[in-house]
Amino acid sequence: MSKLPHFSRLALALGLSTTLLMSLPCQATDAHANELGYASSNSATSSTRATSNDYAATLEQLLTLLEKPQMLQSMAAAITSDSTKQNIISNHMSSLLSDQSLRQVLVEHIATKLQQRGSSLNDTSALLRAIGDELQSATLQFFNGGISRLSDSELQQLLGSIANTANRWDDQTCQVVFSGASNSGVYRTLLEQLDPQDLENFLHLTTQAVLYEVKDQPAAYSMSGSDLAKANTALFKVIGLWAFSDPQAAQNAFALLQGSLQDQAPDPVTLCHTSRQLLTEIVRAEGSDGSLLRRLVVHTYLNQLQ
C-alpha cells in the first residue's frame, strides 16, 4: 500500500482536537475577567517591554485564580450545558493545573510565546484569550509528542472512545465534520453528543500523553519499515474478515486505502461511516496485529502532521 489511510488520521485528529479544545479554559470572556477580579501588579507598562519573567509571574497569578472551583465551573458551563460534563471538565482542569511539573513547563513555554506576541499585561480579557490560545497550542504540541508513549492498552481505550463518539453521530453531523467545517458551534455540538464516560477517558488519556512527553516517560514507540509492512498486512486481513459481515463497507475501506478515489473527493458521509467502522475494527483487533494496527493509526496521524 503506497499511501497511509488518511481517514484514520481524520478520525483520530477530530477526536483529539475536540477533546483538547473542550478540556482546557481556552475561551475567556470579559465576564470571566471581571469574575477573576484580577488587576495586574506588574510594573511593566506600555512604555516598558515586558520580559519573559514578567509574563511568567502574571501567568502564575492568573492560573492560581483560575484554579478556584467557581471559576473552573464557570468556564466549564460556557462550554457545555450538561452538568455532569461540566463537573468532569472542571475536575480535569483542576487536576491539570495542580500538576506542578506540567504547570512549570507550560508557564515557561507560554510566557515565551506571550512575549513574542507582545501581549499586553494590562488588558486582562485580551491576556486571558491569548493565554487560552497558547495553552491549547502548547497542550496539543505536547500531546503530539506524547501519543506514541501511550501503552497499547491506553491507546486502545483512547481510540475506543473516539470510535464510540463517531458512532453516535447522525449523517448530518458526519457531513459537517468530514466536509472540513470547524467552528465553536460544531465543537459544542460534538461535545453535547459525547458520552460522559468517553469524555472522562478522553481527558484522562490525552493528559497522560501530555504528561509522558513533559516528563519524558515512558519511551516513545516507533514503527520500522518491517512494522509498517506487517501492519498493512494486518489491516487488509481485518478488511477481509470484515467483508463477510458488511461487503460494501469493506469495499469502501479497501478503495480508500488503495487511493482509487484519489481523483474524486469522497462523499463526507461515506468517508465518516467507513472511517468509524474501520476504527472500531482496529480497536477490537487482538494480539500483535491489533497492537500494530493501533500504532499504524498513530503513525499516520503524526506522519500527516509533518
Side-chain angles (χ1 to χ4, degrees):
M1 180 173 61
S2 60
K3 288 194 173 187
L4 291 167
H6 66 277
F7 53 90
S8 62
R9 178 255 182 176
L10 286 171
L12 179 60
L14 172 66
L16 299 178
S17 63
T18 301
T19 299
L20 292 169
L21 178 69
M22 297 306 179
S23 65
L24 296 168
C26 296
Q27 300 299 320
T29 65
D30 290 340
H32 288 136
N34 293 332
E35 204 171 338
L36 278 171
Y38 171 79
S40 176
S41 60
N42 199 289
S43 59
T45 66
S46 57
S47 61
T48 305
R49 184 171 179 79
T51 67
S52 179
N53 287 338
D54 292 329
Y55 286 109
T58 300
L59 270 167
E60 281 290 359
Q61 293 177 46
L62 286 172
L63 289 177
T64 298
L65 291 169
L66 285 173
E67 283 185 289
K68 293 182 177 180
Q70 64 269 30
M71 273 304 303
L72 293 176
Q73 195 66 36
S74 175
M75 287 193 168
I79 294 170
T80 176
S81 58
D82 187 311
S83 59
T84 299
K85 293 175 185 176
Q86 288 174 12
N87 289 333
I88 292 172
I89 292 170
S90 60
N91 289 339
H92 169 73
M93 289 192 293
S94 177
S95 175
L96 201 62
L97 291 171
S98 65
D99 187 292
Q100 292 305 309
S101 57
L102 175 59
R103 181 162 170 158
Q104 180 179 352
V105 170
L106 285 173
V107 166
E108 292 174 356
H109 180 93
I110 295 172
T112 300
K113 294 293 185 181
L114 292 175
Q115 183 183 26
Q116 292 171 352
R117 290 171 61 152
S119 298
S120 171
L121 290 172
N122 300 313
D123 185 341
T124 308
S125 296
L127 184 61
L128 282 172
R129 284 190 286 271
I131 290 171
D133 290 342
E134 295 299 340
L135 185 58
Q136 178 187 342
S137 176
T139 306
L140 184 57
Q141 177 183 326
F142 295 145
F143 173 82
N144 289 338
I147 185 174
S148 59
R149 298 176 184 274
L150 292 174
S151 68
D152 183 55
S153 61
E154 289 173 325
L155 191 56
Q156 190 173 29
Q157 290 180 60
L158 179 60
L159 296 181
S161 290
I162 293 172
N164 290 344
T165 301
N167 282 324
R168 293 168 67 91
W169 298 338
D170 56 22
D171 285 354
Q172 182 178 3
T173 304
C174 279
Q175 176 76 33
V176 170
V177 170
F178 278 81
S179 63
S182 177
N183 57 57
S184 58
V186 171
Y187 286 123
R188 188 180 180 94
T189 298
L190 295 178
L191 182 64
E192 296 295 350
Q193 296 179 1
L194 187 61
D195 180 81
Q197 185 57 59
D198 286 322
L199 176 62
E200 188 86 62
N201 289 340
F202 271 145
L203 300 186
H204 171 68
L205 293 164
T206 54
T207 298
Q208 281 299 105
V210 169
L211 292 174
Y212 286 159
E213 176 66 10
V214 169
K215 299 177 181 180
D216 199 25
Q217 61 179 13
Y221 294 91
S222 61
M223 295 195 78
S224 64
S226 61
D227 288 334
L228 288 172
K230 291 176 183 176
N232 288 333
T233 299
L235 188 56
F236 285 111
K237 187 191 301 182
V238 165
I239 295 175
L241 294 173
W242 186 11
F244 288 105
S245 59
D246 195 338
Q248 186 58 57
Q251 183 178 340
N252 289 340
F254 186 77
L256 287 169
L257 284 169
Q258 290 289 355
S260 59
L261 299 181
Q262 181 178 355
D263 297 329
Q264 63 184 83
D267 170 63
V269 175
T270 300
L271 181 60
C272 174
H273 289 184
T274 304
S275 299
R276 67 191 186 186
Q277 285 179 276
L278 183 54
L279 191 60
T280 298
E281 295 298 326
I282 288 174
V283 171
R284 290 173 179 168
E286 300 178 346
S288 59
D289 280 356
S291 179
L292 279 171
L293 287 174
R294 290 182 281 277
R295 293 292 164 199
L296 178 61
V297 174
V298 173
H299 179 88
T300 301
Y301 168 67
L302 296 176
N303 186 66
Q304 295 199 15
L305 288 177
Q306 298 174 2

